[in-house]
Amino acid sequence: MKLYDGGRAPNPRRVRIFLAEKGISLPMEQVDLGALQQKSPAYSAINPLQRVPALVLNDGTVLTESIAICRYFEELNPEPPLFGRGALEQARIEMWNRRVELHFFSLVSHVFRNTHPAMKDMEVPQVPAWAEANKPRIADFIAFLDGELKDRSFVAGDSYSVADITGLVAVDFMKPAKLTVPDELANLRRWHAEVSARPSAQA
């Protein structure tokens, strides 16, 4: 199998961190997003939506979307359980991953895609007003998340999970989007420092 990766882009990074936590290595091919290689006929034949990452299995089956790829590897390699054990823990992790993805990760992406000069050929048209509209929503959610992290070590509970991976990538993606975590959000900053220190965070 082969994973088509996208370098510093946040969704490919989610998959790389997940694989690193699992101790899985596999062949990767870089897709140069800056050169719009994702729009090439060769890559479009793999993923017509022209997004990364994409996983091509040995039988030619193609899986796209970062969380779908992570779920595939979770089933093949259940330890450590990054989607949880048992009905309640799995549901809680799913809930928190969706919360972080919908109310934080995707909003930071909107800000970046609609303001960064490097995105002008990929986000057509760029709508700066949409970026501005999402900034207070991001601020509201990270304040909420800071409060939740007051009494636990990780986003979804007492164990590191895919929700922490999504959150880590979202916080890190704030920097190129020219957003910052306020100093007063001490719980969020503490959590981010801890998950950033994991070896997988460098994947």
Side-chain angles (χ1 to χ4, degrees), residues 42-61:
Y43 187 74
S44 296
I46 295 167
N47 184 4
L49 290 177
Q50 302 176 339
R51 298 287 190 268
V52 286
L55 177 69
V56 180
L57 305 184
N58 292 336
D59 66 358
T61 299

Side-chain angles (χ1 to χ4, degrees), residues 15-61:
V15 173
R16 292 198 308 273
I17 293 172
F18 188 92
L19 294 175
E21 285 286 334
K22 292 282 187 180
I24 298 170
S25 61
L26 68 158
M28 293 190 187
E29 183 170 324
Q30 293 300 318
V31 178
D32 188 339
L33 303 180
L36 300 181
Q37 190 178 356
Q38 72 276 21
K39 296 182 179 294
S40 69
Y43 187 74
S44 296
I46 295 167
N47 184 4
L49 290 177
Q50 302 176 339
R51 298 287 190 268
V52 286
L55 177 69
V56 180
L57 305 184
N58 292 336
D59 66 358
T61 299

Side-chain angles (χ1 to χ4, degrees), residues 79-92:
E79 297 296 331
L82 299 177
F83 284 91
R85 285 192 175 95
L88 180 58
E89 186 179 45
Q90 288 177 354
R92 183 178 290 120

Side-chain angles (χ1 to χ4, degrees), residues 100-171:
V100 174
E101 190 168 47
L102 292 174
H103 303 295
F104 184 19
F105 180 90
S106 65
L107 303 190
V108 174
S109 296
H110 290 320
V111 173
F112 177 78
R113 293 182 70 90
N114 284 283
T115 58
H116 200 285
M119 294 301 298
K120 65 181 177 62
D121 293 326
M122 286 184 256
E123 191 71 22
V124 181
Q126 284 186 312
V127 184
W130 179 234
E132 291 302 316
N134 279 292
K135 289 179 181 180
R137 297 178 180 134
I138 294 167
D140 287 346
F141 184 80
I142 61 175
F144 164 70
L145 184 56
D146 180 78
E148 291 289 318
L149 287 166
K150 177 170 63 72
D151 297 318
R152 61 178 184 265
S153 299
F154 299 102
V155 168
D158 296 326
S159 299
Y160 184 88
S161 74
V162 69
D164 295 286
I165 295 174
T166 301
L168 167 64
V169 173
V171 171

Side-chain angles (χ1 to χ4, degrees), residues 180-201:
T180 57
V181 175
D183 291 340
E184 60 267 25
L185 300 187
N187 301 313
L188 182 60
R189 285 179 166 273
R190 180 264 309 159
W191 162 84
H192 181 253
E194 291 174 1
V195 295
S196 295
R198 299 173 75 93
S200 63

